[in-house]
Amino acid sequence: MMSITMFKRTLQGRVRSLLWVVPMWVFAALLAVGCSDDDDPTEGDGSTAVPPIALTYHHFIAPDDVEILDADTTQIAVSKALADKLGITEFSGRPMAIWQKVNCLPYIRRATAERLEGDRYILTVDNSASLADVLPENTELNFDTRIHVNHEAENVLSSAGGANLVEDISARYMDADTIHPAVVLYTEPGGAGEDVQVVEDNYPPVNMDFVQPNGNEGYAYATAEDLEPKNLNWTIINKEVKLVANLKLDAKADVSLGLTVPVKAKVNAKLQIKTGFSFKKGITLKKFDTGVYGGFAFKPDLTLKVGGTCTLPKDKFTKRLISFPGYTTVFMVGIVPVSITFNPGVIFKVDGTLTGSIGAGCSYRFENDFSAGVLYEGSWKAYGNYEQKENKFSMDIIKGNVNLNTGLGFYVSCDALIYGFAGPELAVGPRLGLTADATVTVPVSGDPTFNFNANLKCGVQSLVGAKLKILKWTLADWNTTFAISPQWTIWQYSTK
């Protein structure tokens, strides 16, 4: 069995020991080496892992204890005073997790060479480090973006890669076996998409409560302690806006869609990784589960205009109406920081066939609580559930020559990037399926007749995927659309 010597500590709850885990390479090694866990862990060549190093600002003696020496981050300077404090006497060949300042993103490198110049080690580094270099035999990590601070947590000492022990604060941000953010950074301001205007924004920017950066250095940030008060109730999506747009669906056929969309969304995210180990195949993935949960409400008014014949191939028209502010949450796993960046927003999708001269308007109100995600346990599966709070619909009668069979969907989306690399993609929202047919008959004598038949069905859909491209590996490219609620007819009409 592999010798485990670093970052050993005791935590409250079911996670009694998270042993020198460095999951900022979470997806890089988890999925790269396969998904079977049937191998005898005693098989193999008897090789041992190189102990990793954690250099975080919590333990710095001076602010410049770790410095990047060139723009491409191939050379890093580490003060000898910090190395002596941590008890590190050798860097070369070892993976390093580095978090230089509270308002900067953590990053990961492997030292390939070192030299001592005066009072600093000059390290040549690359990005070849992987989770396989540092994970213990069996690990289960549970992340949740909700804020939780355990003010009664024990003071614990751990190794950061050297012979000496230093403070380990990770227990402060754990609730049973779940790890919550220690720091949240405001990394993306967001904004409306092309041809979309924000006419109301009822929520003040959350980053107003964050510590602002000095000049262009770093990001606005808040610690978990800053965000803990219940009146703030921070989530990765907490927005109430009204959007107005006039979207050209097909330039050749003169097809446009006018939208007024009030959106209210409050959403959190979770992530679970469970691994195994064998010397024969290295780290194996036993379970991977990522999802979002919370509630949303859409109350859009839509006006559809078609001047000619238009076919919209399925999944060919997707519009990102707005990007909400993006945040990076930093979790402490043992003594090592793990960063996950979330880029939320609202997506509008149209698919189907439109024919003839159409002028139609409709409005609906939809609100629910939901959870949805993607789970790997030997194979990929999607899951989701919902609780409907409101579902009302009204529609203008279509007049003109029409043969319409289309779907319109609004989705709250949230993409997660693990250490800046592509990760899981999720979107949840209501989809309207509209079927209509109208004809106008003009006889030789008498009045014209108009026949119109239509129905509209609604259901909650989820678009989920795992597009994991980490370093030199394409680890997964899996996505699906599935219903997390039954489909029901919310409106029908017939002139017959």
Side-chain angles (χ1 to χ4, degrees):
M1 302 287 285
M2 189 164 73
S3 173
I4 303 173
T5 57
M6 299 192 61
F7 301 161
K8 189 170 183 180
R9 46 137 332 156
T10 299
L11 297 178
Q12 296 180 345
R14 294 185 306 176
V15 177
R16 305 305 298 177
S17 60
L18 285 172
L19 307 175
W20 52 277
V21 180
V22 187
M24 62 252 325
W25 299 284
V26 146
F27 293 101
L30 275 181
L31 302 176
V33 294
C35 297
S36 171
D37 60 333
D38 297 328
D39 303 293
D40 182 352
T42 61
E43 294 181 14
D45 57 10
S47 60
T48 58
V50 178
I53 293 171
L55 302 175
T56 67
Y57 70 90
H58 307 94
H59 307 130
F60 287 6
I61 301 169
D64 60 352
D65 274 344
V66 177
E67 291 185 300
I68 299 173
L69 298 183
D70 47 27
D72 59 358
T73 323
T74 56
Q75 282 199 324
I76 294 174
V78 179
S79 73
K80 187 175 185 301
L82 176 63
D84 291 344
K85 174 184 175 180
L86 302 179
I88 298 172
T89 58
E90 184 178 7
F91 290 89
S92 185
R94 300 176 67 179
M96 300 185 297
I98 303 170
W99 193 8
Q100 290 177 247
K101 298 179 181 179
V102 65
N103 67 339
C104 294
L105 297 177
Y107 61 97
I108 196 170
R109 294 294 184 269
R110 182 190 296 275
T112 59
E114 65 182 273
R115 66 181 186 275
L116 183 60
E117 290 187 0
D119 60 354
R120 300 195 306 174
Y121 288 96
I122 307 300
L123 310 179
T124 302
V125 300
D126 63 23
N127 60 3
S128 65
S130 73
L131 189 62
D133 298 312
V134 293
L135 268 182
E137 296 178 12
N138 290 285
T139 300
E140 181 171 336
L141 304 174
N142 296 282
F143 301 100
D144 193 308
T145 56
R146 289 184 301 108
I147 298 300
H148 172 83
V149 180
N150 178 6
H151 296 278
E152 306 301 322
E154 299 179 24
N155 292 324
V156 177
L157 299 178
S158 296
S159 168
N164 301 331
L165 300 179
V166 290
E167 183 184 14
D168 180 343
I169 62 173
S170 59
R172 185 173 176 83
Y173 308 106
M174 291 200 66
D175 181 13
D177 62 350
T178 299
I179 308 169
H180 296 270
V183 174
V184 178
L185 297 98
Y186 176 69
T187 49
E188 177 59 47
E194 186 179 359
D195 301 324
V196 180
Q197 296 83 44
V198 178
V199 295
E200 290 183 21
D201 190 344
N202 297 328
Y203 276 41
V206 175
N207 69 300
M208 290 178 60
D209 299 292
F210 284 32
V211 179
Q212 300 301 311
N214 183 13
N216 295 322
E217 183 178 342
Y219 299 97
Y221 76 93
T223 65
E225 288 79 1
D226 297 330
L227 298 174
E228 188 185 18
K230 293 183 179 179
N231 61 337
L232 185 57
N233 198 14
W234 183 86
T235 60
I236 59 169
I237 305 177
N238 192 356
K239 258 307 191 183
E240 184 172 351
V241 298
K242 180 183 284 187
L243 310 174
V244 174
N246 188 53
L247 307 179
K248 197 76 171 177
L249 303 186
D250 189 299
K252 297 180 181 178
D254 188 23
V255 180
S256 64
L257 186 66
L259 298 174
T260 300
V261 191
V263 180
K264 184 178 181 180
K266 194 167 186 177
V267 180
N268 265 305
K270 66 182 181 65
L271 190 80
Q272 181 188 65
I273 300 114
K274 187 176 182 179
T275 66
F277 177 84
S278 75
F279 280 110
K280 185 176 181 180
K281 289 193 174 183
I283 298 298
T284 60
L285 177 64
K286 291 185 176 181
K287 183 178 181 180
F288 165 64
D289 182 349
T290 182
V292 291
Y293 64 93
F296 61 80
F298 289 109
K299 301 177 182 179
D301 289 300
L302 306 91
T303 302
L304 178 63
K305 296 180 180 180
V306 179
T309 299
C310 176
T311 299
L312 299 173
K314 186 174 178 63
D315 296 331
K316 291 301 183 182
F317 184 85
T318 300
K319 175 75 173 180
R320 192 173 184 92
L321 297 180
I322 188 171
S323 294
F324 292 145
Y327 297 95
T328 297
T329 53
V330 182
F331 302 87
M332 296 304 299
V333 181
I335 208 162
V336 176
V338 180
S339 71
I340 304 179
T341 299
F342 296 95
N343 295 322
V346 175
I347 294 173
F348 174 64
K349 288 173 62 68
V350 181
D351 59 83
T353 302
L354 312 171
T355 305
S357 299
I358 302 172
C362 67
S363 63
Y364 73 98
R365 298 162 62 90
F366 187 92
E367 184 173 357
N368 81 343
D369 290 328
F370 72 94
S371 65
V374 59
L375 169 68
Y376 175 84
E377 281 185 305
S379 61
W380 291 102
K381 300 175 184 176
Y383 66 85
N385 58 70
Y386 83 107
E387 179 183 347
Q388 180 180 310
K389 291 186 175 181
E390 184 177 20
N391 186 11
K392 297 179 180 179
F393 176 81
S394 63
M395 183 172 183
D396 299 332
I397 301 301
I398 295 177
K399 295 182 179 180
N401 298 320
V402 60
N403 188 344
L404 173 67
N405 188 352
T406 190
L408 307 173
F410 291 89
Y411 302 89
V412 172
S413 69
C414 188
D415 302 342
L417 306 177
I418 315 300
Y419 264 82
F421 294 105
E425 303 173 350
L426 302 104
V428 181
R431 181 184 183 276
L432 296 173
L434 178 60
T435 300
D437 185 68
T439 59
V440 178
T441 303
V442 182
V444 176
S445 61
D447 295 329
T449 61
F450 174 70
N451 293 319
F452 174 66
N453 298 281
N455 68 73
L456 186 138
K457 296 184 177 181
C458 182
V460 182
Q461 282 193 340
S462 183
L463 294 73
V464 299
K467 295 182 181 296
L468 308 175
K469 301 180 186 297
I470 311 296
L471 300 179
K472 61 185 177 182
W473 298 290
T474 297
L475 307 176
D477 192 347
W478 179 90
N479 60 84
T480 188
T481 299
F482 70 102
I484 64 174
S485 78
Q487 183 172 262
W488 59 90
T489 300
I490 60 175
W491 180 83
Q492 57 186 2
Y493 183 90
S494 176
T495 57
K496 294 180 180 179

